[in-house]
Amino acid sequence: GQGVDEPLSATGFRQADAAGSFLSNVKFTHVFSSDLLRAKQTAATILGKNKFCQDLEIKYDARLRERKYGVAEGRPLTDLKAMAKAAGEQCPSFTPSGGETLDEVRERARDFFEFLCRLAVELEKKEQDVHGAASRSSGASEEQLVFPWTNHCSEAELSSGNDGASKILDANILVVSHGAYMRNWMGYFVSDLNCTLPTNLTKSQLSSVSPNTGVSHFIIKLENGNLLKPEITCVCLNQDSHL
């Protein structure tokens, strides 16, 4: 949860290090992290292994915090399950006293995602104003576009458009957050925004919590800067081949 702000364990640092090696060839334009210590340390470890982005500023955002679990924070998961059972409910829909409801978590995710979309649109406008739209596709290294999980998805899922346009992105954003929060964010993508999912993704995978440092990759298209209708494709979900 949010109330217990512990650092990463030795295992956590090893997992973050593995994720950093896994993502070392991906050039990010922005990095955002939860402001909780374990996420901060994960983000810093990942950037420390990156070939392009070691000096990139990590921006911390409270909207990326883990779900707040109220009176259950700092206690074993079995206690949370017992509280839910006593209330005649099941995890994860149960909300302990003082905790956040799933709707409240999803609202945080929606607010942060809309912020990212506005950021991307502003970047595109700025790029066009400075260089002109025609020059955007020049001067980018192919190495920057190498995503390490391409062998886990189809090429169609990675294509950037029906017109064969350049795969160079206006923004390539790394977000470091938490398991229960990200599961709610994924639910928002699927139920509210009709996210396109990998064909081999099962229902149980969709509802499961990511393993520590699991990587999920989404391609977001905003046609003509339309913030109201983002087109979202999930390339991979909770990828953990680096662990």
Side-chain angles (χ1 to χ4, degrees), residues 1-242:
Q2 298 181 9
V4 182
D5 196 13
E6 290 290 318
L8 289 177
S9 65
T11 299
F13 274 113
R14 285 195 298 271
Q15 292 169 332
D17 199 60
S21 296
F22 185 62
L23 299 171
S24 61
N25 282 323
V26 181
K27 185 172 183 179
F28 298 105
T29 58
H30 302 76
V31 179
F32 291 93
S33 168
S34 157
D35 61 351
L36 296 178
L37 182 57
R38 56 194 185 273
K40 287 182 173 182
Q41 291 175 325
T42 300
T45 302
I46 290 172
L47 276 199
K49 305 281 283 189
N50 195 279
K51 295 179 180 178
F52 304 104
C53 312
Q54 291 188 7
D55 296 327
L56 198 61
E57 179 189 2
I58 302 172
K59 296 185 177 179
Y60 304 110
D61 198 305
R63 288 174 294 185
L64 293 172
R65 286 181 181 180
E66 180 58 291
R67 182 184 180 189
K68 185 178 180 181
Y69 283 95
V71 296
E73 292 192 342
R75 296 167 65 174
L77 180 60
T78 50
D79 284 10
L80 177 63
K81 290 180 177 177
M83 291 179 197
K85 186 175 181 180
E89 298 182 42
Q90 290 186 327
C91 294
S93 57
F94 171 68
T95 302
S97 177
E100 278 184 298
T101 66
L102 294 182
D103 285 343
E104 287 171 334
V105 178
R106 185 171 293 199
E107 180 61 23
R108 277 201 287 129
R110 183 195 63 77
D111 189 55
F112 182 77
F113 176 66
E114 290 180 354
F115 157 74
L116 290 186
C117 289
R118 289 193 299 272
L119 173 69
V121 168
E122 287 166 9
L123 281 171
E124 184 178 25
K125 287 178 181 175
K126 196 176 295 183
E127 191 76 24
Q128 289 176 347
D129 289 344
V130 174
H131 301 295
S135 65
R136 276 195 67 248
S137 60
S138 62
S141 165
E142 278 300 310
E143 191 176 18
Q144 297 170 12
L145 305 175
V146 176
F147 294 105
W149 48 85
T150 51
N151 59 327
H152 297 279
C153 61
S154 69
E155 284 302 313
E157 287 167 334
L158 278 174
S159 67
S160 68
N162 298 328
D163 55 0
S166 167
K167 288 185 182 180
I168 296 166
L169 306 172
D170 294 308
N172 192 22
I173 303 171
L174 173 66
V175 177
V176 180
S177 186
H178 306 269
Y181 176 88
M182 290 187 290
R183 176 169 58 186
N184 278 271
W185 191 346
M186 186 62 201
Y188 162 63
F189 272 2
V190 172
S191 63
D192 293 28
L193 299 179
N194 299 313
C195 174
T196 301
L197 300 171
T199 53
N200 61 349
L201 194 69
T202 66
K203 207 166 187 178
S204 62
Q205 287 173 309
L206 185 61
S207 61
S208 64
V209 172
S210 173
N212 288 340
T213 70
V215 175
S216 297
H217 180 198
F218 300 93
I219 296 174
I220 317 295
K221 296 179 195 171
L222 300 163
E223 289 294 332
N224 301 315
N226 186 350
L227 294 168
L228 298 177
K229 291 186 177 180
E231 182 184 325
I232 305 174
T233 301
C234 176
V235 177
C236 63
L237 187 69
N238 303 337
Q239 171 62 39
D240 63 354
S241 63
H242 55 286

